[in-house]
Amino acid sequence: MIGALIAKQRAKAQFAARARGDIDQFLAAWTDDAALTFPGEPPWGGTHRGKAKIRKWFERFYERFPQAHFTAENIFVSNPLALTANNEVAVEWSATFGGRAERDRGVVVAKIRNGKAVNLTEYFFQPPRDPMA
């Protein structure tokens, strides 16, 4: 139970950093060789490996959407009894992108090893129009 509480608190802190566009704090919880994947064929899709490439992706994203704001709606932990810093966490989120009135939604699934994200897969249900073209 303690491991699940810690994992949820860390996920909330990650989303708070993401909501502020604080890439440094956001990436501090990732391993240097982490992978970020956007499945499907959106213009920003594919797998980005390594913290430097992931940083570049987020910098480009926030250049295009400086007013993007993400909110963690629900946080799920695969092993609530884990006593170590290894787990899988899924966060259902909503987001606004600048002047658009509607909220977009998605889920990010993270594999955490030794307290750091090693693999994240982000699923957008209604992605913003062509954000990375």
Side-chain angles (χ1 to χ4, degrees), residues 6-68:
I6 292 169
K8 285 183 176 187
Q9 287 299 82
R10 288 184 176 169
K12 285 179 186 176
Q14 284 295 96
F15 265 80
R18 189 174 182 176
R20 292 188 309 275
D22 187 344
I23 298 170
D24 289 332
Q25 184 176 353
F26 182 65
L27 290 179
W30 296 48
T31 62
D32 289 338
D33 61 346
L36 172 65
T37 300
F38 291 93
E41 298 190 26
W44 64 91
T47 298
H48 311 277
R49 295 190 188 281
K51 197 184 281 190
K53 287 185 181 176
I54 294 168
R55 171 182 293 285
K56 189 173 185 174
W57 189 95
F58 276 103
E59 286 171 349
R60 191 168 166 217
F61 179 86
Y62 282 107
E63 282 174 12
R64 294 229 176 213
F65 295 97
Q67 295 176 343

Side-chain angles (χ1 to χ4, degrees), residues 60-123:
R60 191 168 166 217
F61 179 86
Y62 282 107
E63 282 174 12
R64 294 229 176 213
F65 295 97
Q67 295 176 343
H69 181 79
F70 289 84
T71 303
E73 302 287 344
N74 294 295
I75 301 172
F76 306 92
V77 178
S78 70
N79 186 356
L81 300 177
L83 297 175
T84 66
N86 299 329
N87 218 322
E88 281 78 35
V89 177
V91 179
E92 179 185 20
W93 54 260
S94 64
T96 56
F97 295 89
R100 293 181 41 210
E102 70 271 10
R103 293 178 73 79
D104 296 302
R105 303 189 65 71
V107 171
V108 62
V109 179
K111 290 186 180 184
I112 311 298
R113 297 294 175 260
N114 298 316
K116 296 235 178 193
V118 296
N119 191 338
L120 277 82
T121 304
E122 184 112 28
Y123 302 91

